[in-house]
Amino acid sequence: MAFHVPDANHGLLEDVLDRFRVLLKKNAITGIDETRLDRWISNFRTDEEHYLAACMLNRLIYRSQAMIDSSIDHLLHCLLPTYLRKIGHFPHPDIESFLEVLQLNDSGYPIRVVGVDGSRAFDTGKSGAVIIRQYKRRAGISKFLTCRPDALGELSKHVRCLVFVDDMLGTGTQFGTFAKEHALHGKEGVHIVYCPLIAHAEGLKTLNDNCPWLTVLPVEIFDGQHNFFCELKDRPGIWGVDGVNTVDDVKGFYDQIAAKHGIPTLGKFGLGLVLGFEHSTPNNSLSMLWASSGKWAALLTR
């Protein structure tokens, strides 16, 4: 049977939209308004398309600005200090002292924070630059303790730890290429730590295999169960979202709609995520969420 709406799920879109609008009105979701939501829903016309839209919206994992700030706090208050203590680079009596030092214009401090911009091999945008601005705004990190990727070769010898910040580690391919372009593996005596807000298990494995000199400290970890097209563990091939349609039928229907509207189909970065940050959407997320063209209105910012 082709992709279809299960009998138990007729009217799902109305239910999901009602809940989503409540979250918008309560400012639990920021960065999206009802007009943008309505325009995105208008992309879908048939009952089957409405059902697919409802499933995507129902599965959406959205990190608003407040959530991003919370993730930054967790990294700076917990994950990073624990790591710095482990490598012997935390000469502070408490976390508050550490956070205060990050705000000082002390170019002699041995740590630098670096935003992971898109590598030259990929059109990945500048998410790292956006994230490092978020760190500066949230924690008041001094510009003396930040560094552009293209200036890594100019660092003084007293720098002993490089902290790379990013929003998303997907497959790991892009950061691996970024690391090669900037010869991170050759920085002797310097601890290299990569701190994405969210990391996928596939990317963690890739970096663990290919970059053994790298420490990754993600705030959140996703895995195959976060794939929109995941299958039931006890019924291989059956779509985990509704337990009725097959994964192949869902993928085929998705690609059919995407091709009709001239937006990307499932590609090489296809982790099938239904994930968005208020400031941007990873290319590992479904293109139907972020694509924008004359035929398609985006829900999320890319």
Side-chain angles (χ1 to χ4, degrees), residues 283-297:
N283 61 357
N284 312 105
S285 288
L286 300 181
S287 59
M288 283 188 187
L289 295 171
W290 51 261
S292 180
S293 68
K295 296 181 179 180
W296 193 267

Side-chain angles (χ1 to χ4, degrees), residues 72-202:
I72 291 173
D73 288 347
H74 183 64
L75 179 71
L76 294 179
H77 293 204
C78 301
L79 297 179
L80 187 57
T82 299
Y83 170 75
L84 293 175
R85 287 192 184 99
K86 181 179 179 181
I87 64 173
H89 285 294
F90 194 84
H92 310 288
D94 49 45
I95 300 299
E96 289 71 21
S97 300
F98 169 61
L99 297 176
E100 289 174 2
V101 168
L102 293 180
Q103 299 179 36
L104 300 178
N105 296 331
D106 181 9
S107 59
Y109 195 63
I111 295 173
R112 291 294 181 274
V113 182
V114 188
V116 182
D117 288 345
S119 73
R120 291 185 290 273
F122 296 92
D123 181 19
T124 56
K126 300 291 184 180
S127 62
V130 173
I131 286 295
I132 202 168
R133 286 198 295 271
Q134 301 259 22
Y135 275 82
K136 288 180 178 179
R137 175 194 55 78
R138 180 64 179 174
I141 296 177
S142 168
K143 66 178 181 180
F144 288 87
L145 299 187
T146 64
C147 178
R148 301 188 317 275
D150 58 7
L152 287 171
E154 305 167 10
L155 289 174
S156 61
K157 293 182 179 180
H158 66 259
V159 174
R160 307 267 41 101
C161 182
L162 292 174
V163 179
F164 291 88
V165 295
D166 203 354
D167 52 9
M168 178 74 195
L169 162 61
T171 63
T173 303
Q174 293 174 31
F175 186 83
T177 301
F178 174 88
K180 288 181 181 179
E181 289 179 350
H182 297 286
L184 299 185
H185 66 284
K187 296 193 177 298
E188 297 182 6
V190 179
H191 298 275
I192 310 293
V193 56
Y194 178 35
C195 302
L197 299 181
I198 294 176
H200 194 279
E202 182 176 322

Side-chain angles (χ1 to χ4, degrees), residues 1-4 6 51-52 59 224-256 266 270-272 286:
M1 182 182 293
F3 180 77
H4 63 286
Y51 175 59
L52 184 68
R59 296 269 296 183
Q225 291 303 303
H226 291 87
N227 190 322
F228 183 67
F229 304 102
C230 67
E231 59 184 17
L232 292 174
K233 292 182 179 180
D234 57 347
R235 298 173 62 196
I238 301 300
W239 194 30
V241 172
D242 65 13
V244 176
N245 284 285
T246 68
V247 171
D248 286 344
D249 283 344
V250 181
K251 287 183 175 180
F253 188 67
Y254 179 96
D255 281 345
Q256 177 186 324
L266 303 174
L271 294 175
L286 300 181

